[in-house]
Amino acid sequence: MSRHTSTLDHILAQAKPRIARHWSSCAEAGLSGFTPTATGRVDGLLETYFERLKALPDPAPTAAIVAEIETLFRELGELNASCEGLLETDERELLIPIIIEAASAAGLNTEDFQAGDPTFEFRTF
């Protein structure tokens, strides 16, 4: 197991309980769109992103990591369009740091991006 694979596994393991608590609190509050199916799809997209990063060389080329971020955000945007209101400010604040931390663990130098955020240009939700 490569160093970045181990780090990515750790990041995702730490994030999953926080994400699950968020989905649960949204559902308990009766917010529309926060169904197990919809939130499960977000979880699946995030897990796929991590798997794709782990499949890259260690360290991965910048262009490859950015392409994975772009793919994830396109997929999240499509999901959000089909589940109106699912991904809003609170969800961005929850997910984006995890996405950036994973990209950094895969070898992306986030300092090369405005405000250290390689996701900004791809956000559609």
Side-chain angles (χ1 to χ4, degrees), residues 43-55:
D43 293 343
L45 291 174
L46 192 61
E47 289 172 11
T48 298
Y49 167 70
F50 273 77
E51 290 303 314
R52 289 177 178 161
L53 290 179
K54 289 191 295 188

Side-chain angles (χ1 to χ4, degrees), residues 49-112:
Y49 167 70
F50 273 77
E51 290 303 314
R52 289 177 178 161
L53 290 179
K54 289 191 295 188
L56 296 173
D58 184 6
T62 296
I65 299 169
V66 171
E68 294 303 341
I69 293 169
E70 183 176 13
T71 297
L72 173 62
F73 274 80
R74 184 185 71 253
E75 292 169 340
L76 287 171
E78 290 168 0
L79 173 59
N80 196 47
S82 70
C83 301
E84 187 177 328
L86 178 65
L87 302 174
E88 300 287 338
T89 301
D90 289 345
E91 291 71 36
R92 280 191 303 272
E93 290 175 357
L94 174 67
L95 298 175
I96 288 173
I98 297 164
I99 293 165
I100 293 171
E101 185 179 6
S104 180
L108 187 68
N109 183 358
T110 58
E111 293 177 12
D112 291 343

